[in-house]
Amino acid sequence: MQRTLETERLLLRPLALSDAEDVFEYAGDPMVSQYMPYQPHPNVEATKEWLSQIKPEDGEFAFVLKTTGKVIGAGSARINEDGRCVIGYNFNRLYWGMGYATEAAKGLISWAYNHLGARDFSACHATENTASGNVLRKCGFTLEHYGRYSKFDGSKSYDAVYVSMHLDKLPY
Ligand SMILES: CC(C)(COP(=O)(O)OP(=O)(O)OC[C@H]1O[C@@H](n2cnc3c(N)ncnc32)[C@H](O)[C@@H]1OP(=O)(O)O)[C@@H](O)C(=O)NCCC(=O)NCCS
């Protein structure tokens, strides 16, 4: 299965162990992991451990800035138990507010549409994480229901907005 794709400014490709320094730069930042299910990585060794256990079926992608080759974020697109494709993403804080998340999320959706045959998509964001809500709305998601989600370790939970989208053809 093809595991790379290009958007205007980004290359989406599988994460590699050699990405550890770039990934740790954002995964170790508490502001980035604030609304993510993981706790900030305490050191680059923790990042290497995470990278080494990623499986192809996890649908994890590095978001690489084409101009510099730097991994500025990562995200995933995978088919959930309910048969829908769930997407998620996070970015290095230095690169926020430049449209990269919207571009990368549209890339993930296109990849899942073309290579996983996904037509139904879902996602969620903490209610107060309006930036992520904007990204999802710009990708075409609409409100499905309100709910809550928790961090993997249960240390924190959030009011959340659950969104979904059905695509008969790719709009971008
Ligand atoms: C959420 C996140 C991915 C957004 O990334 P980004 O690259 O800044 O997003 P974009 O530049 O594509 O912006 C998308 C929209 O959000 C808006 N936005 C960006 N940062 C914002 C902020 N801090 N507060 C409010 N809106 C914001 C942008 O203005 C844009 O909307 P507009 O084009 O209508 O103005 C990024 O902030 C991030 O990595 N956060 C930490 C991890 C995270 O929360 N992931 C999502 C979990 S559900």
Side-chain angles (χ1 to χ4, degrees):
M1 183 190 299
Q2 186 189 321
R3 287 294 312 273
T4 60
L5 81 148
E6 284 189 38
T7 62
E8 191 191 336
R9 297 170 293 171
L10 301 171
L11 169 70
L12 277 58
R13 57 140 173 89
L15 280 158
L17 204 52
S18 52
D19 296 325
E21 295 289 343
D22 283 350
V23 173
F24 176 61
E25 221 176 285
Y26 69 80
D29 179 349
M31 240 177 101
V32 171
S33 60
Q34 186 181 6
Y35 300 115
M36 299 298 288
Y38 66 86
Q39 292 288 0
H41 295 185
N43 49 48
V44 74
E45 290 312 313
T47 302
K48 286 181 182 162
E49 204 178 304
W50 176 66
L51 288 168
S52 62
Q53 55 80 50
I54 295 173
K55 299 181 282 301
E57 59 267 31
D58 294 335
E60 285 279 353
F61 286 88
F63 303 143
V64 185
L65 201 53
K66 283 192 211 171
T67 49
T68 62
K70 188 174 177 67
V71 176
I72 62 166
S76 63
R78 72 179 69 117
I79 305 293
N80 217 352
E81 309 84 61
D82 67 4
R84 299 193 293 182
C85 178
V86 190
I87 66 154
Y89 40 75
N90 58 166
F91 281 82
N92 187 317
R93 204 197 312 173
L94 295 176
Y95 298 87
W96 288 5
M98 299 183 222
Y100 288 127
T102 305
E103 189 174 321
K106 287 179 176 176
L108 288 176
I109 291 162
S110 303
W111 177 81
Y113 182 97
N114 288 322
H115 299 287
L116 301 180
R119 296 294 178 268
D120 288 288
F121 296 82
S122 67
C124 83
H125 67 89
T127 308
E128 61 198 43
N129 190 1
T130 51
S132 187
N134 285 348
V135 170
L136 294 168
R137 201 180 56 252
K138 288 164 83 172
C139 290
F141 284 95
T142 56
L143 174 67
E144 187 175 279
H145 64 272
Y146 296 105
R148 287 182 74 77
Y149 71 91
S150 300
K151 281 199 178 289
F152 291 136
D153 65 5
S155 61
K156 200 164 177 203
S157 59
Y158 308 86
D159 284 330
V161 180
Y162 286 78
V163 295
S164 60
M165 166 171 77
H166 175 80
L167 293 180
D168 284 320
K169 72 182 195 41
L170 267 180
Y172 28 75

